């Protein structure tokens, strides 16, 4: 019952904050909820123990009773990734297949090492000593762009379909690579022996990522065939719920990537239903159901991120390292996007406007915080969690609120039209 009470409290708070944001702040819903949660957290940290001891105690107890890593990585993320995958058009994804794969694999590795090396050499200048291996741990957990944050914020920015697919596709698929890199580096950091051979890591990646994608396609295919035979919106909703909840249990038992399983299943089912037309009422109910699930869980997740401030002791001591980390992570993002595009065929597709959106749209979110919180307690875990929190809050608020301005639709349209003319002339 404790979990039920905790979730009930989060839903109530999320609805109150969503209302306050709608009436007064007028920010995008998820960002507004997080901003209010951070403001409440700051007030409680500063004055709570003296003026609002019961409220401060209750919220601390609520946040302490929930395992954020398990709740996000083991439950919420599966629903959110399935909901994201179900709305991606497979034909658009095929067109952007090469950049999506490169950014979500090579881009993650490049970013991990750039962040690791630069943080290792610069942190001593701000009075923080962090071993190189833990700098790499931070690099691995902060490198994946967060699919939940990216998808929710991209809705606000009116970018072209091709560009949206590049950014959204990368964020949906880079979790698999990031988790493998993070797992290997973390095992090294805590002193476990890890086989660093290319063959060993390749097999791990194949099992984790390849197994997850394969299971997702199988689940998507089987359940889509079932839904084709029974065109009923209640059964369709139940079937998709069973794919998410049952699929995660299967993935966990097989020790493969649950997030990639959900992405593949969502992509398959979303595009299967386009090919084999459902009744419009069934499709309408199904889409609206998953949009509602997406919005509710997003609200709870961003509320959670805001209130995580209560769980970080002495965050003010790490503000300067946090600001340094923000600059380093942005630099790594530039290198991990700009570098691979120089070696891609048809690199003319990556015009200045596209590059700006890809770099600035690389938003970090709950996944990075969840990975940071999964690090075993040590003298370095608090430092990593604190600077991760600084990067995530900056990323969601500053990048999230300005991405629509950076993504100038008219400029993108002109540049893409010019690319199309150039491509036709070449042919």
């Amino acid at each position: 019952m404790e979990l039920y009470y905790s979730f009930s409290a989060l839903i109530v708070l999320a609805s109150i904050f969503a209302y306050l944001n709608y009436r007064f702040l007028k920010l995008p819903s998820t960002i507004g909820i997080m901003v209010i949660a951070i403001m409440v957290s700051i007030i409680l940290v500063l004055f709570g123990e003296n003026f609002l001891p019961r409220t401060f105690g209750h919220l601390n107890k609520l946040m302490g009773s929930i395992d954020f890593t398990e709740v996000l990585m083991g439950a919420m993320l599966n629903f959110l990734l399935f909901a994201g995958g179900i709305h991606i058009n497979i034909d658009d994804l095929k067109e952007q297949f090469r950049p999506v794969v490169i950014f979500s694999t090579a881009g993650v590795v490049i970013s991990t090492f750039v962040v690791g090396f630069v943080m290792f050499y610069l942190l001593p200048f701000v009075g923080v000593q962090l071993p190189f291996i833990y700098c790499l741990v931070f690099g691995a957990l902060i490198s994946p762009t967060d699919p939940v944050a990216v998808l929710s914020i991209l809705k606000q920015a009116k970018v072209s379909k091709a560009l949206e697919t590049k950014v959204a596709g990368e964020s949906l698929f880079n979790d698999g690579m990031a988790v493998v890199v993070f797992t290997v580096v973390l095992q090294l950091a805590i002193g476990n022996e890890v086989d660093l051979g290319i063959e060993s890591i390749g097999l791990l990646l194949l099992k984790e990522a390849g197994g997850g994608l394969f299971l997702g396609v199988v689940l998507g295919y089987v359940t889509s065939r079932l839904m084709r035979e029974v065109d009923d919106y209640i059964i369709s909703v139940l079937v998709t719920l069973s794919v998410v909840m049952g699929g995660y249990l299967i993935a966990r038992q097989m020790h493969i990537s649950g997030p990639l399983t959900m992405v593949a299943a969502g992509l398959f089912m979303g595009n299967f239903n386009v090919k084999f037309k459902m009744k419009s009422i069934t499709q309408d109910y199904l889409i609206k159901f998953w949009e509602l699930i997406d919005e509710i869980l997003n609200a709870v997740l961003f509320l959670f991120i805001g209130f995580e401030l209560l769980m970080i002791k002495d965050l003010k001591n790490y503000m300067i390292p946090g600001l340094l980390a923000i600059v380093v992570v942005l630099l790594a993002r530039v290198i991990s996007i700009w570098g691979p595009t120089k070696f891609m065929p048809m690199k003319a597709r990556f015009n200045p406007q596209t590059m700006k959106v890809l770099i600035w749209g690389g938003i970090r979110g709950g996944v990075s915080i969840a990975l940071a919180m999964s690090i075993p307690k040590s003298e370095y875990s608090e430092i990593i969690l604190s600077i991760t929190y600084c990067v995530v809050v900056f990323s969601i608020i500053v990048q999230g609120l300005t991405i629509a301005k950076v993504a100038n639709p008219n400029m993108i349209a002109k540049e893409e039209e010019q690319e199309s003319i150039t491509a036709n002339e070449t042919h």
Side-chain angles (χ1 to χ4, degrees):
M1 289 297 285
E2 183 117 4
L3 181 62
Y4 173 76
Y5 291 139
S6 299
F7 195 70
S8 299
L10 289 172
I11 288 287
V12 170
L13 286 170
S15 62
I16 293 169
F17 290 0
Y19 177 81
L20 291 173
N21 174 63
Y22 184 83
R23 286 294 308 274
F24 304 111
L25 294 185
K26 316 261 183 220
L27 295 173
S29 179
T30 49
I31 297 177
I33 289 168
M34 192 186 84
V35 168
I36 296 172
I38 289 173
M39 289 163 59
V40 170
S41 298
I42 291 170
I43 291 167
L44 288 173
V45 167
L46 294 175
F47 309 109
E49 289 187 88
N50 296 322
F51 298 102
L52 298 163
R54 290 188 66 185
T55 305
F56 183 69
H58 285 319
L59 262 179
N60 258 322
K61 187 180 176 185
L62 172 65
M63 296 308 296
S65 68
I66 300 170
D67 184 340
F68 182 68
T69 304
E70 183 61 31
V71 168
L72 176 60
M73 302 299 283
M76 292 173 69
L77 195 60
N78 298 307
F79 286 91
L80 291 163
L81 289 178
F82 182 85
I86 214 167
H87 292 112
I88 298 274
N89 187 299
I90 198 78
D91 292 327
D92 293 335
L93 191 60
K94 280 178 186 172
E95 278 186 33
Q96 307 300 330
F97 180 75
R98 186 168 288 156
V100 165
V101 169
I102 292 172
F103 292 148
S104 61
T105 53
V108 169
V109 175
I110 292 168
S111 176
T112 297
F113 280 94
V114 171
V115 171
F117 274 101
V118 178
M119 289 297 283
F120 178 68
Y121 286 108
L122 293 186
L123 278 176
F125 290 102
V126 293
V128 175
Q129 298 295 330
L130 196 62
F132 178 66
I133 192 66
Y134 276 97
C135 289
L136 280 182
V137 168
F138 173 67
L141 67 87
I142 207 68
S143 290
T145 55
D146 188 281
V148 180
V150 169
L151 290 169
S152 65
I153 288 164
L154 268 183
K155 291 173 188 173
Q156 317 295 326
K158 296 173 182 176
V159 299
S160 69
K161 202 68 188 169
L163 185 49
E164 183 183 340
T165 305
K166 282 190 188 89
V167 180
E170 178 206 356
S171 67
L172 283 169
F173 285 103
N174 65 13
D175 281 348
M177 186 66 177
V179 168
V180 170
V181 175
F182 174 77
T183 303
V184 170
V185 178
L186 182 60
Q187 292 303 309
L188 287 171
I190 60 180
N192 293 345
E193 288 189 15
V194 179
D195 185 352
L196 293 176
I198 293 175
E199 185 180 339
S200 176
I201 293 176
L203 284 172
L204 179 62
L205 185 60
L206 183 64
K207 182 189 175 187
E208 181 86 16
L213 291 170
F214 179 73
L215 175 61
V217 169
V218 170
L219 286 171
Y221 176 77
V222 171
T223 49
S224 294
R225 298 291 297 185
L226 293 173
M227 286 166 68
R228 187 183 177 188
E229 301 300 322
V230 182
D231 197 352
D232 178 272
Y233 68 85
I234 295 175
I235 295 174
S236 296
V237 166
L238 284 172
V239 166
T240 52
L241 278 174
S242 71
V243 167
V244 176
M245 300 171 88
Y248 170 68
L249 294 177
I250 296 169
R252 189 168 184 171
Q253 286 296 314
M254 296 175 69
H255 302 289
I256 57 179
S257 173
L260 286 178
T261 300
M262 293 305 109
V263 171
L267 275 170
F268 195 95
M269 295 184 77
N271 289 275
F272 182 96
N273 295 332
V274 170
K275 189 176 177 184
F276 299 98
K277 292 291 185 187
M278 294 178 168
K279 290 175 189 169
S280 58
I281 187 170
T282 305
Q283 201 162 15
D284 191 44
Y285 269 105
L286 195 60
I287 289 168
K288 284 180 177 172
F289 172 79
W290 280 103
E291 281 179 351
L292 191 59
I293 290 285
D294 193 31
E295 291 297 326
I296 292 170
L297 290 183
N298 261 314
V300 173
L301 173 59
F302 281 76
L303 177 81
F304 229 134
I305 293 172
F307 278 140
E308 277 303 316
L309 183 61
L310 293 170
M311 306 305 295
I312 302 173
K313 308 302 178 192
D314 301 321
L315 179 64
K316 59 182 179 294
N317 296 338
Y318 300 113
M319 291 304 291
I320 301 298
L323 292 171
L324 173 66
I326 290 167
V327 175
V328 171
V329 169
L330 286 173
L331 171 68
R333 179 68 180 172
V334 171
I335 294 169
S336 66
I337 294 294
W338 178 82
T341 60
K342 297 298 141 189
F343 301 97
M344 281 187 199
M346 296 179 292
K347 57 187 177 187
R349 284 189 180 183
F350 295 92
N351 53 59
Q353 193 65 25
T354 298
M355 294 291 286
K356 271 166 53 181
V357 176
L358 280 168
I359 290 164
W360 200 243
I363 295 165
R364 275 68 180 181
V367 169
S368 292
I369 292 178
L371 292 176
M373 294 186 76
S374 73
I375 299 170
K377 292 290 179 190
S378 71
E379 58 187 304
Y380 307 116
S381 57
E382 188 75 20
I383 300 169
I384 292 174
L385 179 58
S386 298
I387 59 178
T388 299
Y389 191 80
C390 292
V391 173
V392 168
V393 169
F394 171 87
S395 186
I396 292 173
I397 295 178
V398 178
Q399 291 176 244
L401 290 178
T402 55
I403 187 66
K405 290 186 175 66
V406 171
N408 186 323
N410 294 330
M411 284 290 291
I412 292 171
K414 280 181 187 175
E415 287 181 352
E416 288 183 346
E417 188 180 341
Q418 186 59 45
E419 286 167 22
S420 179
I421 292 168
T422 306
N424 290 333
E425 286 173 355
T426 306
H427 290 304

